[in-house]
Amino acid sequence: MRAIVAEKHGGPEVLVPADLPDPVPGPGQLLVRVAAAGVNYIDTYHRTGRYETHPPFTPGVEVAGEVEAVGEGVTAFAPGDVVATADAIGGYAEKALVDQARAVPVPADVEPERAASVLLQGLTAHYLTHSTYAVQPGDTVLVHAAAGGMGLLLTQLVKLLGGRVIGTVSTPLKERVAREAGAEEVIGYEDFPRRVKDLTGGRGVPVVYDGVGAATFEGSLASLQPRGLLALYGAASGPVPPFDPIRLAGAGSLFLTRPTLAHYVSTSEELRTRAEDVFGWLAAGRLDVRVGERYPLAEARRAHEDLEARRTTGKLLLIP
Ligand SMILES: NC(=O)c1ccc[n+]([C@@H]2O[C@H](COP(=O)([O-])OP(=O)(O)OC[C@H]3O[C@@H](n4cnc5c(N)ncnc54)[C@H](OP(=O)(O)O)[C@@H]3O)[C@@H](O)[C@H]2O)c1
């Protein structure tokens, strides 16, 4: 099969196409013929080694497609089923392995490619808006990188819950995209805490959804109302330097959390329940996924270059 291999840690150039033997499903595993693989920021952390990986390896955690074969002891799925996962092993490939406990069924009214474009970021937006901080009707919240894959889904879910969104973006095109997703106020990054205060009558917001990290961290804290929550869910601009918790007291008894998807879908039941919501909203037209670009599998390098250079909006897919 064709696959992408990261021969070593490094920049996007380490992602090269290769011919590999088809993977063989072990006990409890599914072999999935990949209809589409999602490109996620975590794939860049795996590529650089910021998150532990051992080259050579095939990156990619998010895929959807048809089950081609199953390993010993698989009871939940059978060949021919269409599944999606945010935990694939070697997703940037024509075929990938998935543990049955980490797969979810894709409903018949959701195309496999749509499933791959929404699952990982949809699950993340789900837990951030429903569990990390449960958005209440009338809340005004701050969403950074509002035109990104995560930002567009967060914006729509905050709206579904009756909230109002202030979004940050870096270009006029991204401003338009964020507004189309429902953001009421779209601002640049410069001096954003002051803009947020101005837009909230001087009070600040109860929650900031921050996947940008180093570049926005200080401003995000300064944008919160007393007892507000900073949900620091990523670090697209780099990791936040060490931080003294006493600062949270002085800034208004704030809360800081660094959540990650794995702990919010830790059981098959929680995974399925959140996935059913996400696919249900998609099928009902209550949630829209903007696919910014589809790349042929062999062009994984270009997808990573575009993502890290802030050239993209919405979701990026690799098509084998
Ligand atoms: N914790 C979790 O469970 C979880 C799950 C999924 C994703 N994430 C995190 O969510 C974040 C967004 O992921 P995504 O895949 O949806 O990416 P994305 O938001 O589509 O792309 C990243 C965006 O971040 C903004 N950005 C600001 N400063 C940047 C910089 N110095 N370098 C690069 N980008 C910068 C850019 O938007 P502007 O140009 O508008 O600033 C850029 O388009 C990532 O940090 C990712 O790790 C976390």
Side-chain angles (χ1 to χ4, degrees), residues 200-224:
T200 54
R203 184 164 170 77
V205 291
V207 64
V208 178
Y209 294 116
D210 188 344
V212 172
T216 45
F217 180 74
E218 291 293 338
S220 293
L221 287 175
S223 301
L224 287 165

Side-chain angles (χ1 to χ4, degrees), residues 64-118:
E66 196 175 303
V67 176
E68 192 173 284
V70 299
E72 198 187 321
V74 169
T75 50
F77 297 99
D81 289 348
V82 179
V83 299
T85 185
D87 280 300
I89 302 160
Y92 288 9
E94 288 176 329
K95 298 179 187 187
L97 294 175
V98 184
D99 285 336
Q100 65 169 342
R102 306 316 295 165
V104 293
V106 175
D109 51 4
V110 175
E111 290 286 312
E113 188 181 304
R114 301 286 284 166
S117 66
V118 78

Side-chain angles (χ1 to χ4, degrees), residues 69-274:
V70 299
E72 198 187 321
V74 169
T75 50
F77 297 99
D81 289 348
V82 179
V83 299
T85 185
D87 280 300
I89 302 160
Y92 288 9
E94 288 176 329
K95 298 179 187 187
L97 294 175
V98 184
D99 285 336
Q100 65 169 342
R102 306 316 295 165
V104 293
V106 175
D109 51 4
V110 175
E111 290 286 312
E113 188 181 304
R114 301 286 284 166
S117 66
V118 78
L119 188 67
L120 189 150
Q121 293 172 346
L123 292 170
T124 305
H126 189 295
Y127 83 72
L128 286 170
T129 54
H130 289 69
S131 305
T132 305
Y133 175 89
V135 174
Q136 302 299 308
D139 277 348
T140 296
V141 317
L142 176 59
V143 174
H144 284 304
M150 278 302 308
L152 289 175
L153 294 173
L154 279 169
T155 296
Q156 293 177 76
L157 291 195
V158 171
K159 301 294 300 172
L160 270 182
L161 291 163
R164 174 171 164 253
V165 173
I166 304 173
T168 53
V169 297
S170 65
T171 68
L173 166 72
K174 291 185 179 190
E175 173 175 352
R176 183 171 61 74
V177 170
R179 283 193 194 281
E180 282 168 8
E184 278 84 358
E185 308 286 351
V186 183
I187 61 179
Y189 290 93
E190 195 180 338
D191 209 11
F192 72 82
R194 185 186 57 75
R195 298 290 311 279
V196 170
K197 289 282 167 78
D198 287 349
L199 291 165
T200 54
R203 184 164 170 77
V205 291
V207 64
V208 178
Y209 294 116
D210 188 344
V212 172
T216 45
F217 180 74
E218 291 293 338
S220 293
L221 287 175
S223 301
L224 287 165
Q225 67 187 43
R227 290 162 37 188
L229 172 77
L230 173 49
L232 179 70
Y233 69 93
S237 67
V240 173
F243 171 81
D244 184 348
I246 193 64
R247 292 192 46 212
L248 298 172
S253 298
L254 303 178
F255 295 85
L256 169 64
T257 183
R258 177 59 180 86
T260 193
L261 176 60
H263 302 123
Y264 287 88
V265 290
S266 57
T267 64
S268 295
E269 193 193 340
E270 194 175 24
L271 171 65
R272 282 196 180 218
T273 308
R274 292 196 199 274

